[in-house]
């Protein structure tokens, strides 16, 4: 009996490689989202600290108030930019997830086909083995009767 060959194995391996690449891209996008969230939190924390520092002063110079107000405006603008980036990254993550699901379906379909053909091949090997054994048994009985 010839050994099992799956003619679509190279395609299955290529699709598995593509799936791996999609997973790496998804992880990268998720890391980008985590980084962006950390930046938002750090910026908000810095604003709270600056406000607390100015409030803790007994006498607040006008320059401190002006600087705090300018800093608040800047952080507000930065937070808006970061929120826009977050929306963009979330869309990117969704696209990556859809690509991963599509790639998984492609790999799973070929894997299922491969397993099905392997099962059929094994059944054929078993039938051939049984036929060979039966022939040997019949031949041996024939020899024993002489």
């Amino acid at each position: 009996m010839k050994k099992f060959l799956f003619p679509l194995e190279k395609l299955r391996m290529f699709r598995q490689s593509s799936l791996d690449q999609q997973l790496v891209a998804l992880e990268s996008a998720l890391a980008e989202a985590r980084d962006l969230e950390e930046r938002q939190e750090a910026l908000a924390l810095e604003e709270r600290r600056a406000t607390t520092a100015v409030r803790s002063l007994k006498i607040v110079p006008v320059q401190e108030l002006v600087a705090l107000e300018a800093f608040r405006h800047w952080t507000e603008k930065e937070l808006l930019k970061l929120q826009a980036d977050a929306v963009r990254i979330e869309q990117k993550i969704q696209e990556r997830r859809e690509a991963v699901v599509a790639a998984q379906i492609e790999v799973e379909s070929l894997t299922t086909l491969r397993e099905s053909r392997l099962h059929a091949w094994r059944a054929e090997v078993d039938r051939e083995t049984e036929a060979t054994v039966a022939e040997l048994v019949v031949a041996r009985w024939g020899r024993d009767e002489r």
Side-chain angles (χ1 to χ4, degrees):
M1 181 72 187
K2 61 183 177 182
K3 72 177 193 171
F4 176 73
L5 293 174
F6 183 58
L8 300 174
E9 185 62 24
K10 285 184 180 179
L11 178 61
R12 190 184 74 78
M13 295 303 292
F14 172 76
R15 289 192 175 165
Q16 180 64 49
S17 173
S18 177
L19 171 60
D20 294 342
Q21 290 173 353
Q22 294 295 338
L23 287 169
V24 167
L26 174 60
E27 185 56 41
S28 173
L30 290 170
E32 191 177 351
R34 285 189 300 270
D35 180 55
L36 186 64
E37 186 176 321
E38 288 172 5
R39 286 174 41 206
Q40 287 175 322
E41 290 172 2
L43 190 58
L45 178 64
E46 191 62 33
E47 182 182 3
R48 284 191 303 273
R49 285 182 180 165
T51 302
T52 303
V54 170
R55 285 184 180 166
S56 68
L57 297 174
K58 291 186 179 188
I59 300 175
V60 181
V62 173
Q63 297 90 353
E64 290 291 325
L65 288 175
V66 170
L68 179 61
E69 190 60 28
F71 183 67
R72 279 183 164 171
H73 285 298
W74 179 82
T75 56
E76 200 173 289
K77 287 178 185 177
E78 284 300 308
L79 285 172
L80 288 174
K81 287 180 191 176
L82 293 175
Q83 287 171 352
D85 287 347
V87 168
R88 179 187 51 79
I89 291 171
E90 199 54 45
Q91 290 171 343
K92 185 177 175 181
I93 289 171
Q94 186 58 35
E95 290 169 4
R96 298 285 189 226
R97 284 185 174 143
E98 290 170 3
V100 165
V101 168
Q104 282 176 330
I105 289 170
E106 290 176 351
V107 169
E108 288 172 6
S109 66
L110 285 173
T111 300
T112 301
L113 178 61
R114 181 184 185 282
E115 289 172 1
S116 169
R117 289 194 180 167
L118 179 60
H119 179 70
W121 176 81
R122 284 185 178 149
E124 180 65 27
V125 167
D126 289 346
R127 280 192 294 277
E128 284 187 17
T129 302
E130 286 177 20
T132 303
V133 168
E135 288 175 13
L136 290 173
V137 168
V138 168
R140 187 170 187 191
W141 280 342
R143 242 185 323 162
D144 289 343
E145 290 179 3
R146 290 187 209 168

